Amino acid sequence: MNRLQGKTAIVTGSTRGIGRAIAEAYAREGANVIISGTNQGLCDSVAAGIRAAGGVAVPIPCDISQLEQIQHLYDRTLEQFGEINIVVNNAGIAIFKAFVDVTPEEVQKIWGINLFGTFFSSQRAAQEMIKQGKGGKIINMSSISEEVGTPMLTQYATTKGGIKIMTKCMALELAAHKINVNAIGAGVIDTDISAAEFAKPGAREENTARIPWGRMGEAEDLAGVAIFLGSDESDYVTGTTIFVDGGLTAV
């Protein structure tokens, strides 16, 4: 079943981890997928892999913290496919550091990517979707950190809390245009973003012990929810966060 057949989807931060898993799943569901990240070579490689598997993918590098690069990403996508139906704002970073030691430069960097990038990518997506008049799907990557406080992640959790309320507000503003805006709240996921933390003695075991499902999540665990939120099946779902966390937020 190709639930996204003929749809054009931008997935930011899709050269690795969760973004790559979502992009590959979208391609398998029939979408035209834009592979985007800061590294041209990685964008090319992921797109080539999708095409080799029979999918449609175009690499368009983008630093989501730079407004002119966001505009270029959308302009190129429209030149290639003529419209944009789904946007997954997945690009993001985490800085694991005590709140009292975080520098202004680090705050500017994480807020620039996680908040600024999500805001202005969503804004451009909404502008194009309103113009197209066919509705659309905007999916923001959030985290259990929008709900659960975690030491060493204040700077990260602040951005995810911002994404939570941003998603709600955008959903209300865009409902009249039949544009759905939702978020995916990732739990403890075994990806590059947290590899250094999980490599510390006992960290992997400690994190696993907290999760009712008994294991850390994999990038692919989020792909099914992203397909649902990008498809017509989610037309009556907007302004919410769906947590993919093995039950962690239920504790």
Side-chain angles (χ1 to χ4, degrees), residues 64-66 70 89 111-122:
I64 206 71
S65 70
Q66 303 299 313
I70 295 173
N89 291 306
W111 290 8
I113 294 171
N114 295 12
L115 275 176
F116 180 100
T118 297
F119 184 96
F120 285 105
S121 174
S122 296

Side-chain angles (χ1 to χ4, degrees), residues 146-207:
E146 73 171 45
E147 293 288 341
V148 180
T150 308
M152 310 295 286
L153 281 176
T154 300
Q155 49 286 343
Y156 172 80
T158 300
T159 67
K160 297 307 181 180
I163 287 172
K164 174 183 177 178
I165 196 62
M166 185 193 307
T167 297
K168 289 179 178 291
C169 292
M170 289 192 302
L172 293 176
E173 290 196 39
L174 298 174
H177 301 283
K178 298 298 182 284
I179 299 170
N180 303 76
V181 188
N182 291 291
I184 300 175
V188 181
I189 310 298
D190 194 2
T191 63
D192 292 349
I193 197 170
S194 51
E197 289 300 307
F198 293 155
K200 294 178 180 178
R204 185 174 294 273
E205 293 76 13
E206 181 182 340
N207 276 282

Side-chain angles (χ1 to χ4, degrees), residues 20-209:
R20 178 171 182 169
I22 291 172
E24 290 173 344
Y26 274 14
R28 289 193 297 270
E29 291 289 336
N32 308 314
V33 183
I34 303 301
I35 304 300
S36 186
T38 57
N39 185 297
Q40 175 76 66
L42 289 176
C43 289
D44 292 344
S45 176
V46 174
I50 289 174
R51 291 195 296 267
V56 178
V58 174
I60 306 177
C62 176
D63 178 347
I64 206 71
S65 70
Q66 303 299 313
L67 184 58
E68 67 276 9
Q69 293 196 37
I70 295 173
Q71 302 298 358
H72 177 259
L73 170 64
Y74 279 82
D75 289 345
R76 283 281 315 281
T77 301
L78 290 168
E79 288 171 8
Q80 188 77 31
F81 295 108
E83 64 179 23
I84 298 167
N85 311 109
I86 306 164
V87 171
V88 181
N89 291 306
N90 170 75
I93 61 170
I95 297 174
F96 295 84
K97 195 172 185 180
F99 161 68
V100 294
D101 296 326
V102 177
T103 67
E105 292 76 18
E106 288 170 331
V107 170
Q108 288 178 336
K109 181 177 182 179
I110 193 169
W111 290 8
I113 294 171
N114 295 12
L115 275 176
F116 180 100
T118 297
F119 184 96
F120 285 105
S121 174
S122 296
Q123 183 187 68
R124 180 65 191 277
Q127 290 168 347
E128 295 301 332
M129 290 172 181
I130 290 170
K131 192 184 305 179
Q132 291 164 188
K134 301 178 181 178
K137 310 286 185 175
I138 298 173
I139 303 164
N140 299 322
M141 187 56 61
S142 189
S143 163
I144 59 171
S145 293
E146 73 171 45
E147 293 288 341
V148 180
T150 308
M152 310 295 286
L153 281 176
T154 300
Q155 49 286 343
Y156 172 80
T158 300
T159 67
K160 297 307 181 180
I163 287 172
K164 174 183 177 178
I165 196 62
M166 185 193 307
T167 297
K168 289 179 178 291
C169 292
M170 289 192 302
L172 293 176
E173 290 196 39
L174 298 174
H177 301 283
K178 298 298 182 284
I179 299 170
N180 303 76
V181 188
N182 291 291
I184 300 175
V188 181
I189 310 298
D190 194 2
T191 63
D192 292 349
I193 197 170
S194 51
E197 289 300 307
F198 293 155
K200 294 178 180 178
R204 185 174 294 273
E205 293 76 13
E206 181 182 340
N207 276 282
T208 301

Side-chain angles (χ1 to χ4, degrees), residues 208-230:
T208 301
R210 296 163 47 214
I211 303 168
W213 206 247
R215 67 170 176 86
M216 292 196 297
E218 303 290 340
E220 289 73 19
D221 289 320
L222 290 90
V225 175
I227 292 169
F228 166 70
L229 290 177

